mmCIF file of all heavy atoms in Angstrom:
data_model
loop_
_atom_site.group_PDB
_atom_site.id
_atom_site.type_symbol
_atom_site.label_atom_id
_atom_site.label_comp_id
_atom_site.label_asym_id
_atom_site.label_seq_id
_atom_site.Cartn_x
_atom_site.Cartn_y
_atom_site.Cartn_z
ATOM 1 N N LEU A 1154 -22.007 8.664 6.919
ATOM 2 C CA LEU A 1154 -22.063 9.433 8.164
ATOM 3 C C LEU A 1154 -22.416 10.878 7.864
ATOM 4 O O LEU A 1154 -22.086 11.407 6.791
ATOM 5 C CB LEU A 1154 -20.744 9.315 8.908
ATOM 6 C CG LEU A 1154 -20.326 7.949 9.349
ATOM 7 C CD1 LEU A 1154 -18.911 8.019 9.895
ATOM 8 C CD2 LEU A 1154 -21.243 7.362 10.423
ATOM 9 N N PRO A 1155 -23.052 11.574 8.814
ATOM 10 C CA PRO A 1155 -23.244 13.040 8.654
ATOM 11 C C PRO A 1155 -21.908 13.800 8.541
ATOM 12 O O PRO A 1155 -20.895 13.292 8.975
ATOM 13 C CB PRO A 1155 -24.006 13.458 9.956
ATOM 14 C CG PRO A 1155 -24.596 12.144 10.444
ATOM 15 C CD PRO A 1155 -23.589 11.071 10.052
ATOM 16 N N ASP A 1156 -21.989 15.009 8.010
ATOM 17 C CA ASP A 1156 -20.741 15.796 7.862
ATOM 18 C C ASP A 1156 -19.997 16.020 9.138
ATOM 19 O O ASP A 1156 -18.751 16.009 9.135
ATOM 20 C CB ASP A 1156 -21.076 17.091 7.129
ATOM 21 C CG ASP A 1156 -21.541 16.899 5.715
ATOM 22 O OD1 ASP A 1156 -21.201 15.867 5.106
ATOM 23 O OD2 ASP A 1156 -22.256 17.793 5.222
ATOM 24 N N ASN A 1157 -20.721 16.226 10.214
ATOM 25 C CA ASN A 1157 -20.023 16.522 11.479
ATOM 26 C C ASN A 1157 -19.422 15.272 12.144
ATOM 27 O O ASN A 1157 -18.859 15.381 13.214
ATOM 28 C CB ASN A 1157 -21.023 17.241 12.443
ATOM 29 C CG ASN A 1157 -22.263 16.438 12.731
ATOM 30 O OD1 ASN A 1157 -22.629 15.564 11.936
ATOM 31 N ND2 ASN A 1157 -22.879 16.690 13.849
ATOM 32 N N HIS A 1158 -19.686 14.113 11.594
ATOM 33 C CA HIS A 1158 -19.122 12.848 12.121
ATOM 34 C C HIS A 1158 -18.262 12.145 11.123
ATOM 35 O O HIS A 1158 -18.017 10.912 11.277
ATOM 36 C CB HIS A 1158 -20.285 11.924 12.557
ATOM 37 C CG HIS A 1158 -21.039 12.460 13.720
ATOM 38 N ND1 HIS A 1158 -20.556 12.636 15.029
ATOM 39 C CD2 HIS A 1158 -22.362 12.849 13.790
ATOM 40 C CE1 HIS A 1158 -21.464 13.135 15.803
ATOM 41 N NE2 HIS A 1158 -22.575 13.247 15.089
ATOM 42 N N LYS A 1159 -17.748 12.827 10.088
ATOM 43 C CA LYS A 1159 -16.943 12.179 9.102
ATOM 44 C C LYS A 1159 -15.644 11.619 9.633
ATOM 45 O O LYS A 1159 -15.150 10.595 9.163
ATOM 46 C CB LYS A 1159 -16.586 13.207 7.989
ATOM 47 C CG LYS A 1159 -17.782 13.673 7.157
ATOM 48 C CD LYS A 1159 -18.271 12.534 6.218
ATOM 49 C CE LYS A 1159 -19.375 13.080 5.310
ATOM 50 N NZ LYS A 1159 -19.919 11.954 4.436
ATOM 51 N N ASN A 1160 -15.166 12.260 10.674
ATOM 52 C CA ASN A 1160 -13.825 11.885 11.211
ATOM 53 C C ASN A 1160 -13.930 10.875 12.336
ATOM 54 O O ASN A 1160 -12.954 10.642 13.067
ATOM 55 C CB ASN A 1160 -13.051 13.095 11.629
ATOM 56 C CG ASN A 1160 -12.702 14.017 10.502
ATOM 57 O OD1 ASN A 1160 -12.480 13.567 9.374
ATOM 58 N ND2 ASN A 1160 -12.707 15.304 10.768
ATOM 59 N N ILE A 1161 -15.167 10.362 12.593
ATOM 60 C CA ILE A 1161 -15.321 9.462 13.778
ATOM 61 C C ILE A 1161 -14.488 8.227 13.639
ATOM 62 O O ILE A 1161 -13.913 7.741 14.689
ATOM 63 C CB ILE A 1161 -16.843 9.140 13.937
ATOM 64 C CG1 ILE A 1161 -17.082 8.366 15.269
ATOM 65 C CG2 ILE A 1161 -17.334 8.323 12.797
ATOM 66 C CD1 ILE A 1161 -16.892 9.223 16.477
ATOM 67 N N LEU A 1162 -14.331 7.657 12.450
ATOM 68 C CA LEU A 1162 -13.578 6.401 12.307
ATOM 69 C C LEU A 1162 -12.078 6.700 12.560
ATOM 70 O O LEU A 1162 -11.441 5.880 13.212
ATOM 71 C CB LEU A 1162 -13.733 5.866 10.859
ATOM 72 C CG LEU A 1162 -15.152 5.350 10.539
ATOM 73 C CD1 LEU A 1162 -15.148 4.829 9.119
ATOM 74 C CD2 LEU A 1162 -15.537 4.202 11.505
ATOM 75 N N SER A 1163 -11.604 7.812 12.087
ATOM 76 C CA SER A 1163 -10.198 8.138 12.369
ATOM 77 C C SER A 1163 -9.965 8.369 13.873
ATOM 78 O O SER A 1163 -8.948 7.971 14.382
ATOM 79 C CB SER A 1163 -9.816 9.430 11.626
ATOM 80 O OG SER A 1163 -9.948 9.218 10.199
ATOM 81 N N GLU A 1164 -10.920 9.004 14.521
ATOM 82 C CA GLU A 1164 -10.766 9.208 15.970
ATOM 83 C C GLU A 1164 -10.849 7.898 16.736
ATOM 84 O O GLU A 1164 -10.091 7.731 17.733
ATOM 85 C CB GLU A 1164 -11.914 10.177 16.456
ATOM 86 C CG GLU A 1164 -11.730 11.591 15.866
ATOM 87 C CD GLU A 1164 -12.826 12.489 16.384
ATOM 88 O OE1 GLU A 1164 -13.631 12.085 17.265
ATOM 89 O OE2 GLU A 1164 -12.902 13.636 15.885
ATOM 90 N N ILE A 1165 -11.727 6.983 16.332
ATOM 91 C CA ILE A 1165 -11.815 5.686 16.963
ATOM 92 C C ILE A 1165 -10.463 4.974 16.807
ATOM 93 O O ILE A 1165 -9.959 4.317 17.738
ATOM 94 C CB ILE A 1165 -12.970 4.833 16.374
ATOM 95 C CG1 ILE A 1165 -14.307 5.493 16.806
ATOM 96 C CG2 ILE A 1165 -12.868 3.424 16.876
ATOM 97 C CD1 ILE A 1165 -15.507 4.742 16.196
ATOM 98 N N LYS A 1166 -9.896 5.033 15.583
ATOM 99 C CA LYS A 1166 -8.600 4.414 15.295
ATOM 100 C C LYS A 1166 -7.508 4.973 16.187
ATOM 101 O O LYS A 1166 -6.720 4.249 16.772
ATOM 102 C CB LYS A 1166 -8.286 4.575 13.881
ATOM 103 C CG LYS A 1166 -6.966 3.904 13.457
ATOM 104 C CD LYS A 1166 -6.693 4.086 11.998
ATOM 105 C CE LYS A 1166 -5.329 3.478 11.641
ATOM 106 N NZ LYS A 1166 -5.031 3.652 10.164
ATOM 107 N N GLN A 1167 -7.562 6.300 16.344
ATOM 108 C CA GLN A 1167 -6.563 6.938 17.222
ATOM 109 C C GLN A 1167 -6.743 6.558 18.659
ATOM 110 O O GLN A 1167 -5.744 6.352 19.401
ATOM 111 C CB GLN A 1167 -6.635 8.446 17.027
ATOM 112 C CG GLN A 1167 -6.155 8.932 15.670
ATOM 113 C CD GLN A 1167 -6.276 10.446 15.561
ATOM 114 O OE1 GLN A 1167 -6.722 11.117 16.481
ATOM 115 N NE2 GLN A 1167 -5.909 10.945 14.375
ATOM 116 N N VAL A 1168 -8.020 6.457 19.104
ATOM 117 C CA VAL A 1168 -8.263 6.086 20.522
ATOM 118 C C VAL A 1168 -7.705 4.692 20.797
ATOM 119 O O VAL A 1168 -7.021 4.446 21.810
ATOM 120 C CB VAL A 1168 -9.753 6.123 20.778
ATOM 121 C CG1 VAL A 1168 -10.121 5.384 22.042
ATOM 122 C CG2 VAL A 1168 -10.237 7.569 20.861
ATOM 123 N N PHE A 1169 -7.967 3.769 19.845
ATOM 124 C CA PHE A 1169 -7.467 2.378 20.033
ATOM 125 C C PHE A 1169 -5.950 2.303 19.961
ATOM 126 O O PHE A 1169 -5.319 1.653 20.768
ATOM 127 C CB PHE A 1169 -8.113 1.456 18.998
ATOM 128 C CG PHE A 1169 -9.387 0.832 19.438
ATOM 129 C CD1 PHE A 1169 -10.576 1.523 19.299
ATOM 130 C CD2 PHE A 1169 -9.426 -0.412 20.044
ATOM 131 C CE1 PHE A 1169 -11.773 0.960 19.760
ATOM 132 C CE2 PHE A 1169 -10.620 -0.976 20.474
ATOM 133 C CZ PHE A 1169 -11.755 -0.293 20.329
ATOM 134 N N SER A 1170 -5.360 3.011 18.993
ATOM 135 C CA SER A 1170 -3.935 2.900 18.816
ATOM 136 C C SER A 1170 -3.154 3.623 19.894
ATOM 137 O O SER A 1170 -2.118 3.169 20.343
ATOM 138 C CB SER A 1170 -3.522 3.432 17.447
ATOM 139 O OG SER A 1170 -3.861 4.785 17.305
ATOM 140 N N LYS A 1171 -3.651 4.806 20.290
ATOM 141 C CA LYS A 1171 -2.888 5.614 21.250
ATOM 142 C C LYS A 1171 -3.256 5.385 22.719
ATOM 143 O O LYS A 1171 -2.505 5.698 23.589
ATOM 144 C CB LYS A 1171 -3.119 7.100 20.963
ATOM 145 C CG LYS A 1171 -2.541 7.528 19.656
ATOM 146 C CD LYS A 1171 -2.719 9.057 19.430
ATOM 147 C CE LYS A 1171 -2.092 9.479 18.108
ATOM 148 N NZ LYS A 1171 -2.289 10.982 17.842
ATOM 149 N N THR A 1172 -4.412 4.759 22.958
ATOM 150 C CA THR A 1172 -4.871 4.596 24.329
ATOM 151 C C THR A 1172 -5.040 3.164 24.720
ATOM 152 O O THR A 1172 -4.321 2.585 25.492
ATOM 153 C CB THR A 1172 -6.194 5.388 24.571
ATOM 154 O OG1 THR A 1172 -6.027 6.780 24.233
ATOM 155 C CG2 THR A 1172 -6.610 5.293 25.993
ATOM 156 N N ILE A 1173 -6.042 2.508 24.100
ATOM 157 C CA ILE A 1173 -6.410 1.163 24.519
ATOM 158 C C ILE A 1173 -5.315 0.155 24.194
ATOM 159 O O ILE A 1173 -4.888 -0.616 25.094
ATOM 160 C CB ILE A 1173 -7.767 0.768 23.911
ATOM 161 C CG1 ILE A 1173 -8.855 1.687 24.447
ATOM 162 C CG2 ILE A 1173 -8.092 -0.657 24.255
ATOM 163 C CD1 ILE A 1173 -10.189 1.500 23.855
ATOM 164 N N LEU A 1174 -4.876 0.110 22.924
ATOM 165 C CA LEU A 1174 -3.845 -0.852 22.596
ATOM 166 C C LEU A 1174 -2.538 -0.586 23.349
ATOM 167 O O LEU A 1174 -1.853 -1.522 23.746
ATOM 168 C CB LEU A 1174 -3.600 -0.790 21.108
ATOM 169 C CG LEU A 1174 -4.675 -1.366 20.188
ATOM 170 C CD1 LEU A 1174 -4.240 -1.280 18.719
ATOM 171 C CD2 LEU A 1174 -4.990 -2.822 20.554
ATOM 172 N N LYS A 1175 -2.256 0.709 23.584
ATOM 173 C CA LYS A 1175 -1.085 1.044 24.333
ATOM 174 C C LYS A 1175 -1.175 0.514 25.765
ATOM 175 O O LYS A 1175 -0.212 0.007 26.390
ATOM 176 C CB LYS A 1175 -0.820 2.547 24.300
ATOM 177 C CG LYS A 1175 0.528 2.948 24.872
ATOM 178 C CD LYS A 1175 0.666 4.485 24.681
ATOM 179 C CE LYS A 1175 2.056 4.917 25.201
ATOM 180 N NZ LYS A 1175 2.271 6.356 25.015
ATOM 181 N N MET A 1176 -2.406 0.672 26.367
ATOM 182 C CA MET A 1176 -2.619 0.174 27.728
ATOM 183 C C MET A 1176 -2.567 -1.301 27.819
ATOM 184 O O MET A 1176 -1.911 -1.883 28.737
ATOM 185 C CB MET A 1176 -3.919 0.748 28.235
ATOM 186 C CG MET A 1176 -4.263 0.224 29.680
ATOM 187 S SD MET A 1176 -5.785 0.931 30.323
ATOM 188 C CE MET A 1176 -5.231 2.606 30.570
ATOM 189 N N LEU A 1177 -3.184 -1.980 26.831
ATOM 190 C CA LEU A 1177 -3.170 -3.429 26.823
ATOM 191 C C LEU A 1177 -1.759 -3.943 26.696
ATOM 192 O O LEU A 1177 -1.348 -4.937 27.323
ATOM 193 C CB LEU A 1177 -4.082 -3.982 25.727
ATOM 194 C CG LEU A 1177 -5.586 -3.716 25.875
ATOM 195 C CD1 LEU A 1177 -6.313 -4.243 24.639
ATOM 196 C CD2 LEU A 1177 -6.094 -4.381 27.145
ATOM 197 N N ARG A 1178 -0.973 -3.308 25.820
ATOM 198 C CA ARG A 1178 0.422 -3.662 25.626
ATOM 199 C C ARG A 1178 1.222 -3.445 26.875
ATOM 200 O O ARG A 1178 2.021 -4.314 27.302
ATOM 201 C CB ARG A 1178 1.018 -2.854 24.488
ATOM 202 C CG ARG A 1178 2.515 -3.103 24.265
ATOM 203 C CD ARG A 1178 3.011 -2.242 23.101
ATOM 204 N NE ARG A 1178 4.478 -2.215 23.022
ATOM 205 C CZ ARG A 1178 5.283 -1.400 23.643
ATOM 206 N NH1 ARG A 1178 4.693 -0.413 24.470
ATOM 207 N NH2 ARG A 1178 6.539 -1.443 23.546
ATOM 208 N N ALA A 1179 0.940 -2.355 27.580
ATOM 209 C CA ALA A 1179 1.666 -2.056 28.806
ATOM 210 C C ALA A 1179 1.395 -3.070 29.894
ATOM 211 O O ALA A 1179 2.308 -3.625 30.543
ATOM 212 C CB ALA A 1179 1.322 -0.660 29.319
ATOM 213 N N TYR A 1180 0.112 -3.450 30.080
ATOM 214 C CA TYR A 1180 -0.236 -4.433 31.080
ATOM 215 C C TYR A 1180 0.192 -5.866 30.686
ATOM 216 O O TYR A 1180 0.467 -6.666 31.555
ATOM 217 C CB TYR A 1180 -1.711 -4.378 31.393
ATOM 218 C CG TYR A 1180 -2.073 -3.282 32.386
ATOM 219 C CD1 TYR A 1180 -2.749 -2.155 31.968
ATOM 220 C CD2 TYR A 1180 -1.707 -3.355 33.699
ATOM 221 C CE1 TYR A 1180 -3.063 -1.105 32.844
ATOM 222 C CE2 TYR A 1180 -1.976 -2.329 34.585
ATOM 223 C CZ TYR A 1180 -2.671 -1.215 34.146
ATOM 224 O OH TYR A 1180 -2.936 -0.207 35.062
ATOM 225 N N GLY A 1181 0.293 -6.076 29.367
ATOM 226 C CA GLY A 1181 0.848 -7.334 28.958
ATOM 227 C C GLY A 1181 2.297 -7.475 29.326
ATOM 228 O O GLY A 1181 2.798 -8.516 29.731
ATOM 229 N N ILE A 1182 3.058 -6.356 29.192
ATOM 230 C CA ILE A 1182 4.438 -6.320 29.568
ATOM 231 C C ILE A 1182 4.582 -6.556 31.093
ATOM 232 O O ILE A 1182 5.451 -7.352 31.551
ATOM 233 C CB ILE A 1182 5.158 -5.043 29.195
ATOM 234 C CG1 ILE A 1182 5.163 -4.933 27.661
ATOM 235 C CG2 ILE A 1182 6.507 -4.880 29.804
ATOM 236 C CD1 ILE A 1182 5.706 -3.582 27.162
ATOM 237 N N ILE A 1183 3.714 -5.891 31.875
ATOM 238 C CA ILE A 1183 3.770 -6.070 33.325
ATOM 239 C C ILE A 1183 3.434 -7.480 33.732
ATOM 240 O O ILE A 1183 4.080 -8.068 34.588
ATOM 241 C CB ILE A 1183 2.749 -5.039 33.986
ATOM 242 C CG1 ILE A 1183 3.203 -3.597 33.784
ATOM 243 C CG2 ILE A 1183 2.638 -5.347 35.456
ATOM 244 C CD1 ILE A 1183 2.234 -2.592 34.286
ATOM 245 N N MET A 1184 2.444 -8.067 33.043
ATOM 246 C CA MET A 1184 2.081 -9.480 33.332
ATOM 247 C C MET A 1184 3.244 -10.411 33.044
ATOM 248 O O MET A 1184 3.516 -11.342 33.806
ATOM 249 C CB MET A 1184 0.849 -9.885 32.548
ATOM 250 C CG MET A 1184 0.237 -11.245 32.866
ATOM 251 S SD MET A 1184 -1.138 -11.699 31.795
ATOM 252 C CE MET A 1184 -2.239 -10.349 32.089
ATOM 253 N N PHE A 1185 3.922 -10.147 31.913
ATOM 254 C CA PHE A 1185 5.034 -11.021 31.533
ATOM 255 C C PHE A 1185 6.187 -10.842 32.610
ATOM 256 O O PHE A 1185 6.784 -11.853 32.978
ATOM 257 C CB PHE A 1185 5.586 -10.622 30.123
ATOM 258 C CG PHE A 1185 6.778 -11.379 29.727
ATOM 259 C CD1 PHE A 1185 6.636 -12.727 29.337
ATOM 260 C CD2 PHE A 1185 8.005 -10.812 29.653
ATOM 261 C CE1 PHE A 1185 7.728 -13.456 28.943
ATOM 262 C CE2 PHE A 1185 9.101 -11.526 29.267
ATOM 263 C CZ PHE A 1185 8.989 -12.844 28.901
ATOM 264 N N ILE A 1186 6.463 -9.662 33.004
ATOM 265 C CA ILE A 1186 7.508 -9.422 34.021
ATOM 266 C C ILE A 1186 7.114 -10.139 35.355
ATOM 267 O O ILE A 1186 7.980 -10.800 35.933
ATOM 268 C CB ILE A 1186 7.726 -7.910 34.246
ATOM 269 C CG1 ILE A 1186 8.325 -7.272 33.000
ATOM 270 C CG2 ILE A 1186 8.605 -7.673 35.447
ATOM 271 C CD1 ILE A 1186 8.418 -5.767 33.071
ATOM 272 N N THR A 1187 5.881 -10.064 35.711
ATOM 273 C CA THR A 1187 5.418 -10.737 36.952
ATOM 274 C C THR A 1187 5.548 -12.209 36.849
ATOM 275 O O THR A 1187 6.034 -12.921 37.747
ATOM 276 C CB THR A 1187 3.970 -10.343 37.276
ATOM 277 O OG1 THR A 1187 3.870 -8.915 37.392
ATOM 278 C CG2 THR A 1187 3.467 -10.974 38.599
#
């Protein structure tokens, strides 16, 4: 990767762990409660 995109993988990992996976987990809990 170019120098200005070296951290793109870490950012993608953070997006998935802090946003998408958290949201999927949250809606999974809501689905289970329902």
Side-chain angles (χ1 to χ4, degrees):
L1154 298 174
D1156 292 336
N1157 58 335
H1158 293 294
K1159 292 289 185 184
N1160 296 324
I1161 188 69
L1162 292 179
S1163 300
E1164 293 180 7
I1165 291 175
K1166 182 180 177 181
Q1167 291 178 1
V1168 166
F1169 270 85
S1170 61
K1171 293 183 179 180
T1172 303
I1173 295 177
L1174 289 182
K1175 191 174 180 180
M1176 178 176 289
L1177 294 177
R1178 174 179 171 271
Y1180 278 109
I1182 293 173
I1183 293 174
M1184 188 185 301
F1185 178 73
I1186 293 174
T1187 303

